[in-house]
């Protein structure tokens, strides 16, 4: 079949969907009812839910798909501001968060590309977090998982910043102590461990990483196209008599 056939176009579309959406841990949440009503009514009401997937669209907030057991329904494309963490201390209805942070204070950066992956960072998983919000200062929290973007399709121009070292950011998903959930970049998070972390912490003086590091672009070593030796040596090593 030709390049422009419907079958191939269908395959390419389906292939993109594998990176547009990713599974997330089934976090138990309260969904603000107004988000299920297109923000028209339902304020102050909640529905119980479990996160199912997350979607990344360039230039938009992250979208979470949620299973609603009361309805046996999936509801898609809700921003992170639509949710409160479920707590066993208040199993039937959540306490209204104070402060109640807006979406722009819960997620600083839109999706950087359609390609995304979800990881749980094992080393920091149980560390105590503190995130620096825009309007309410520092708020404590607990780490859930991390969402990261990448450019998935090399046959398409990369118009975005997911692989630009100076612009790329991760989204660390944090359950905040006020009951909300946020997605924060590394430079807005501080995490401490009783065993690993110093008692008195320094204030970072870091600069943004702007460089792409490459271990193969070193011409002085020479090239290896003529060699089929298993224990090969570069021309530079041979000249120096490396054994």
């Amino acid at each position: 079949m030709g390049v422009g056939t419907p079958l191939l176009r269908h395959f390419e579309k389906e292939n993109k969907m594998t990176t547009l959406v990713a599974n997330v841990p089934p976090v138990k949440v309260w969904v603000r009812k107004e988000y299920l009503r297109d923000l028209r009514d339902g304020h102050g009401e909640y529905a119980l839910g479990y996160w199912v997937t997350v979607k990344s669209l360039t230039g938009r907030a992250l979208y979470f798909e949620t299973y609603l057991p009361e309805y046996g329904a999936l509801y898609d494309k809700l921003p992170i501001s639509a949710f409160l963490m479920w707590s066993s201390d208040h199993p039937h209805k959540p306490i209204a968060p104070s402060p109640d942070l807006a979406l722009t204070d819960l997620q600083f950066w839109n999706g950087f590309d359609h390609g995304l992956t979800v990881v749980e960072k094992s080393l920091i998983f149980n560390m105590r977090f503190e995130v620096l919000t825009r309007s309410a200062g520092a708020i404590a929290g607990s780490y859930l998982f991390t969402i990261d973007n990448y450019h998935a399709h090399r046959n398409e121009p990369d118009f975005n910043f997911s692989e630009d070292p100076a612009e790329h950011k991760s989204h660390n998903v944090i359950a905040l102590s006020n009951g909300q959930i946020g997605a924060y970049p590394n430079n807005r998070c501080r995490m401490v461990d009783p065993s690993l972390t110093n008692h008195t912490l320094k204030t970072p003086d870091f600069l943004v990483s702007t460089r792409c590091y490459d271990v193969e672009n070193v011409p002085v070593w020479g090239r290896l196209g003529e060699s089929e030796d298993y224990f090969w040596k570069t021309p530079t090593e041979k000249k120096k008599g490396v054994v």
Side-chain angles (χ1 to χ4, degrees):
M1 305 179 82
V3 172
T5 61
L7 179 60
L8 182 55
R9 289 198 298 270
H10 174 75
F11 171 79
E12 290 175 343
K13 181 179 179 181
E14 292 302 310
N15 190 40
K16 289 182 183 179
M17 291 296 290
T18 62
T19 57
L20 175 67
V21 180
N23 287 303
V24 296
V27 178
K28 192 174 184 179
V29 295
W30 291 107
V31 184
R32 295 182 191 249
K33 191 71 175 289
E34 63 264 32
Y35 284 90
L36 303 176
R37 297 282 302 160
D38 199 29
L39 301 181
R40 301 177 190 183
D41 51 41
H43 298 271
E45 301 177 45
Y46 304 92
L48 187 67
Y50 294 86
W51 277 353
V52 180
T53 64
V54 65
K55 181 186 279 89
S56 174
L57 296 172
T58 306
R60 299 188 193 178
L62 296 170
Y63 288 150
F64 292 85
E65 182 182 36
T66 309
Y67 177 67
L68 305 171
E70 297 173 84
Y71 304 92
L74 285 176
Y75 200 96
D76 198 6
K77 296 180 289 294
L78 292 180
I80 205 164
S81 56
F83 305 100
L84 300 178
M85 284 293 294
W86 181 88
S87 170
S88 56
D89 293 332
H90 307 282
H92 304 298
K93 185 177 181 179
I95 294 178
S98 179
D100 194 347
L101 299 175
L103 174 58
T104 51
D105 224 343
L106 296 171
Q107 183 181 339
F108 286 11
W109 305 104
N110 288 326
F112 288 93
D113 212 314
H114 282 45
L116 82 161
T117 186
V118 176
V119 296
E120 293 179 340
K121 298 178 180 179
S122 298
L123 179 64
I124 64 170
F125 192 83
N126 290 316
M127 291 187 182
R128 181 172 61 83
F129 265 68
E130 184 180 79
V131 300
L132 184 60
T133 66
R134 283 190 169 116
S135 63
I139 297 182
S142 301
Y143 176 78
L144 297 176
F145 54 87
T146 297
I147 300 164
D148 215 334
N149 285 115
Y150 65 99
H151 186 64
H153 303 285
R154 292 300 175 192
N155 62 331
E156 298 177 358
D158 186 356
F159 299 114
N160 305 302
F161 290 103
S162 63
E163 298 187 12
D164 184 318
E167 296 297 330
H168 166 264
K169 287 94 177 170
S170 299
H171 305 278
N172 297 303
V173 179
I174 310 297
L176 302 175
S177 59
N178 72 337
Q180 292 182 281
I181 309 170
Y184 295 98
N186 288 343
N187 66 335
R188 285 281 176 159
C189 299
R190 174 173 272 179
M191 58 226 72
V192 296
D193 178 85
S195 177
L196 298 177
T197 310
N198 288 4
H199 182 73
T200 302
L201 296 177
K202 297 179 180 180
T203 299
D205 60 353
F206 312 149
L207 297 177
V208 172
S209 174
T210 63
R211 303 173 188 271
C212 294
Y213 296 96
D214 182 356
V215 298
E216 295 186 19
N217 188 22
V218 189
V220 69
W221 284 0
R223 295 181 291 272
L224 301 169
E226 299 87 356
S227 176
E228 60 180 9
D229 296 335
Y230 185 81
F231 296 103
W232 51 262
K233 295 181 179 64
T234 67
T236 302
E237 290 174 312
K238 291 177 181 178
K239 286 181 181 178
K240 291 182 177 180
V242 176
V243 179

